[in-house]
Amino acid sequence: MDKKNKYIEVAIALPVYNTYLYKIPLSLNSLAKPGMRVLVPFGKRRVTGYIIARQKQNNGYHIKNIIDILDNAPLFPESMIPFLKWLGDYYIYPLGEVIKTALPVGLNRYDVLFVSLTEKGIKQEKSGTLTLKESKIINILKVKPNCSLKSLGDKLKNSRINTFIKQMEQKGLITVKTLLKQDQAKIKKEKFILKGWGYEKQKLSKKRAAILSIIEKRKEISLKILRKEIPTAPRLVKILSESGFVKIVEREVFRDPFGDPVEPDIPPQLNKEQAEIVSYVKQRMDKGFQRYLLSGVTSSGKTEVYMRLVAKALAMSKQAIVLVPEISLISQTERRFRARFGEKVAVLHSGLSKSELFHQWKRIIKKHATVVIGARSSIFAPMENLGIIIVDEEHDTSYKQDSSLRYNARDIAIVRAKFDSIPVILGSATPSVQSYYNACKKKFHELKLEKRVNKHPLPEITLIDLKKYKNFRGRERLITPELSKEIRKVLDNGEQVLIFLNRRGFATFSVCQDCGKTVKCKFCDISMTLHKDYNEFRCHLCGFSLSPRIKCMKCGSLKINLLGFGTEKIQEMLQILFPDARIARLDQDTASKKGATVRILKKIKNRTVDIIVGTQMLAKGHDFPSITLVGIICADLSLNFPDFRAGERTFQLLAQVAGRAGRGEKKGKVILQTYNPEHFSIKASKHQDFREFYHKEIPFRQGLCYPPFSRIIQLKISGTDKNKVKKYSLMAGEICKNLLRKNKQNEIQMLGPIEAGIPKIALRYRWQILLKSSMGGIINKFVKELICNKKILNQKHIRISIDVDPYLMM
Ligand code: ADP
Ligand code: ZN
Ligand code: ZN
């Protein structure tokens, strides 16, 4: 083997910014590959690291040996390393921790090595040519022929035998197999019937002929479905297969959350708009890095376009990543990719168990799966030969991760595509301001789908000014007569209503009648929400709860006024107004029980509910053709957030909710209630026109120098001691100011330090500093310089995190 490369560069999974050089013992030299984990000495500890590269030379220092190699094969391809390095640099985050974030959690726990004997091992043991330790192992294996590495270690009272075992394997004394632990997800297999060879119809019974003609038409069908049409199918199919008229195969099936198998689909003929776009992108598929923005209202056929381009990538022997927003269940989009690409698809999202996640990961590495579809973390899928990346609903905020490595999968999808020299497509009915700005500046090539495939008109949206009802008492303030009238109509027609409110609970704001103090969480600086479901007040940030019969914390009064409204209250009001209606609710509270979401969605699908009340959980990813009316109780809740993206988010959310109406044959209707009918975000959502919104919004962004005209890095500071956090924040602010002055950096604007919008969460006090600049690179460099300052980082009880391109500014 290559004896020269006996050093490796290792990224340690600890908050350290450098990588380190280690030596590999000669015996392990041929085993070590970039993308594998190693155990290394680090100071007085032993820690896990990732091999980044092989190195020929050392840097002159004394270099330590690695202790062990922890994997038999790389966990990610070497070709991803430049991308991962870029992330560490851009998000100012240690490379080892970037890699840790990129890999599925609980990786090693489910990967079990089993050791067994070889003939050579037995022979050599007999002839006495082995070392003492080697014979010991062979003798254990004689008693227990298939022993896990861990129990072998236990028996030898030595857990660090990985390397030793590998050496024995190399000598041919033993074999080592990697197996997944028992609890791996059970893979369901099912029988499918395919066409066999020729037959003469006349000679067959009616039923057999019917089966054959179904298979003729559909090419293949699952036995389960066939049985629904022809109950005796299982027996008949068996007979038919014995004559060779059909083939029966067992195959892994994928079920949607309702338990129905996903059947293969037949691609429709593209319409003119779609065909033009597909051919435009196809022709350039092998021409390197390109960025596209695909804009098109819901049901304009975007998903079909994605599928054609993915198919093209596969035809070029390449792979594809399709990012979809995070939802608790599989989305329509995933379902459709399954139907089109079957077993080539791997799915990655947070709903999977650790072992299931790992199983998917392995399928990708082994190239059994060539299409990955999933939530934001799928952008790290270990693919070596990508042909295209697609980001559906690119405006969705769930692409931003708001802890540890605070990346935005939409943004880094573009970076990965650049490293891989491939096209990337961002698609949305309501593109983000950022992406549309890039399209206007010709950084992105815009592709437009302007017509709906089925020509169904978009729903008609009526704005209701809630100010008119401000002085009304009771239910009419929230469920206005206009909305009631429409609900009544729909119920009488036997159709369904969706009522949307972006806030859960019963009463969201409770105050003491005597002294005016609000009921607040003991640990967080926010008011508590009364939940009748749980019969308690709850804090939505930390989960702290109080009895509903509380006294005022300040004056002891028992008279607590329950103000503010959430989904629970709306549900109650609707039930009083429409006693005959069957009402269900879908929000974080009702969905918290296992399987609850599926049950509720099933009810909607089977039309055993008439009115469904819910938060944005309802707005994403599902298709309910019999909902003909959408009522938006109060469109302003997200508008009042102290955040420069509040208007953008409101517009996107409203447009998305409105789009839930009228997805079937019948035209939908939307009643949008608001205190701000004149606000441009709300007006634009009435027209479902993102360009209208964009052109109103962009002057504000420019005037205040907010993204896309600048880049922002936010320093989030927190700690449990109120005064220490304040003192530290002020000091950090001073250091920033001095450094800015010293570097004569007038391009960087500093805002703060100030107390955060929510000053306390779970007993941690929070401050922040905002750095803003129209020149992105400068601010990144500045923050790196800043954190080199010992005073900034070396603080015991203070946590400081760097949020590059922040979303949650509170
Ligand atoms: P979007 O992703 O823009 O919401 P979809 O791709 O989901 O749009 O298309 C909406 C519906 O129209 C889907 O049911 C899809 O199967 C169907 N569809 C898409 N393209 C075609 C086509 N060319 N011919 C017939 N049906 C189509
Ligand atoms: Zn009081
Ligand atoms: Zn709390």
Side-chain angles (χ1 to χ4, degrees), residues 353-409:
S353 70
K354 282 178 188 167
S355 59
E356 175 54 29
L357 208 57
F358 187 44
H359 173 67
Q360 300 284 352
W361 195 263
K362 283 254 156 121
R363 286 183 60 221
I364 302 166
I365 290 192
K366 290 184 183 151
K367 302 199 170 72
H368 296 167
T370 45
V371 180
V372 166
I373 176 160
R376 61 170 179 259
S377 62
S378 309
I379 193 57
F380 299 116
M383 293 176 138
E384 211 165 359
N385 191 17
L386 272 176
I388 194 165
I389 303 178
I390 287 162
V391 186
D392 189 25
E393 311 278 1
E394 64 87 24
H395 64 276
D396 198 277
T397 50
S398 73
Y399 286 127
K400 169 81 176 175
Q401 170 148 308
D402 264 307
S403 58
S404 60
L405 174 63
R406 296 166 186 266
Y407 66 96
N408 185 322

Side-chain angles (χ1 to χ4, degrees), residues 268-271 274 296-306 336 449 453 663:
Q269 174 127 37
L270 295 180
N271 65 30
Q274 289 172 316
V297 290
T298 46
S299 295
S300 57
K302 296 186 293 296
T303 312
E304 191 56 46
V305 169
Y306 304 150
R336 288 173 58 193
L449 284 173
V453 173
R663 292 172 89 88

Side-chain angles (χ1 to χ4, degrees), residues 736 739-740 745 748 778-786:
C736 269
L739 200 58
L740 285 173
Q745 260 156 345
I748 298 180
I778 286 186
I779 172 173
N780 178 291
K781 231 172 101 195
F782 174 77
V783 173
K784 279 186 193 140
E785 198 178 333
L786 182 70

